[in-house]
Amino acid sequence: MPRLYRRQFLRKAASASAAAWLAPKVLAARLAALPAGQKVLATDTVTLGRTGIQTYDNGLRFFDTADSYGSHPHVADALKHVDRSKVTILTKSWARTGPEMRADLDRFRRELNTDHLDIVLMHCVTEGDWTSRYRSAMDALSAAKEKGIIRAHGCSCHSLEALRAAAKSEWVEVDLVRINPIGSHMDADPATVVGVIGEMRAAGKGIVGMKILGQGDLRDRQNEAIRYALGLGALDAFTIGAESIAEQKDLIERIASV
């Protein structure tokens, strides 16, 4: 969703619905774990890998935010209306050094008016050697986890090399991965990316899919894209941006129907 529209909608949603909502998180439990014939619903509770962190309730309790989105103040407003212990906050930092990351964690908690952050990702990593190049930032996140400032850490990947490095890194607990059936705005072709996701799944990482609709390229093939994401049997959850509550409800219904 264009950032301007995202901000406008967040402001309206937070005040109108008294429940925080950030680019609705449409969640999908893995099909392989379900009894035959059982439907997947957007209201399903899922656990992200081995982190123990759960997401649920139409996505209204799982907030995928980021410093660069400018959305922290809107989420902070929405948090006034919900029980913080029932909310999972995922945010992302562009910090690449330890001091920068520590400063971001302090600022993020002030902006969100919370004493802890559930998941913090290194945002948009692209380098194949990022797990060594940015070790000081990673160490800062590890130390923050030990202190209870965050509950889990990981990355969002924007290249195949970075994705492969994330799959091999024991440090990565949660990964935000671009995936859709046509390879739109992805790190590689779908088959290659699915192979790397399989590595992550085997390692017990929490995997959240993004670009499910190819940044709009699949807007007229939504059922196909959702069916593909659900059928992978590898994603803990996936995110789809919407510009209205009506669009969110439509996505929830599509998940149930496919």
Side-chain angles (χ1 to χ4, degrees):
M1 157 187 340
R3 192 163 300 156
L4 176 60
Y5 295 145
R6 183 196 299 267
R7 290 177 181 173
Q8 291 173 340
F9 178 73
L10 280 171
R11 190 175 298 112
K12 294 177 182 177
S15 60
S17 66
W21 184 57
L22 178 66
K25 305 299 101 180
V26 182
L27 310 178
R30 293 189 296 278
L31 286 181
L34 294 176
Q38 182 173 331
K39 285 187 175 182
V40 172
L41 303 175
T43 52
D44 289 343
T45 297
V46 299
T47 301
L48 296 178
R50 296 176 181 170
T51 67
I53 296 174
Q54 294 186 326
T55 61
Y56 58 99
D57 197 11
N58 286 6
L60 293 174
R61 307 294 186 190
F62 178 35
F63 305 157
D64 176 6
T65 184
D67 186 30
S68 60
Y69 298 168
S71 48
H72 286 169
H74 305 299
V75 173
D77 285 342
L79 286 176
K80 297 174 183 177
H81 305 285
V82 295
D83 181 348
R84 175 65 181 89
S85 67
K86 301 288 180 65
V87 170
T88 297
I89 297 177
L90 181 155
T91 190
K92 312 175 192 75
S93 168
W94 281 93
R96 297 297 190 254
T97 68
E100 290 172 339
M101 184 62 74
R102 287 188 289 273
D104 271 2
L105 295 179
D106 288 342
R107 176 168 58 84
F108 291 1
R109 287 182 294 157
R110 289 195 304 270
E111 291 175 349
L112 290 162
N113 193 28
T114 182
D115 62 350
H116 74 282
L117 304 165
D118 297 290
I119 305 168
V120 177
L121 306 182
M122 294 186 64
H123 202 173
C124 196
V125 292
T126 59
E127 300 85 355
D129 66 347
W130 74 267
T131 56
S132 57
R133 183 184 299 198
Y134 302 133
R135 175 55 60 177
S136 64
M138 295 164 63
D139 289 344
L141 286 172
S142 295
K145 181 180 176 182
E146 291 178 3
K147 295 175 182 177
I149 294 172
I150 68 173
R151 296 175 62 195
H153 43 63
C155 63
S156 66
C157 296
H158 285 256
S159 78
L160 180 60
E161 294 75 21
L163 192 66
R164 284 175 167 160
K168 291 177 171 57
S169 172
E170 294 183 2
W171 179 87
V172 174
E173 298 172 313
V174 178
D175 199 294
L176 193 58
V177 182
R178 300 189 288 186
I179 185 69
N180 58 70
I182 63 173
S184 175
H185 299 278
M186 283 176 50
D187 301 320
D189 63 275
T192 299
V193 172
V194 168
V196 181
I197 290 175
E199 278 188 65
M200 293 179 172
R201 170 61 56 210
K205 302 183 189 303
I207 305 172
V208 181
M210 62 174 169
K211 306 298 183 188
I212 301 302
L213 299 183
Q215 201 165 312
D217 290 342
L218 286 162
R219 65 173 61 87
D220 297 324
R221 298 162 61 184
Q222 294 184 51
N223 285 3
E224 175 189 349
I226 291 171
R227 185 177 292 108
Y228 176 80
L230 292 172
L232 289 174
L235 303 178
D236 292 305
F238 57 76
T239 71
I240 298 179
E243 295 185 0
S244 69
I245 292 175
E247 283 190 7
Q248 181 192 22
K249 290 180 178 178
D250 177 67
L251 288 166
I252 290 170
E253 291 171 359
R254 286 177 186 275
I255 287 175
S257 69
V258 302

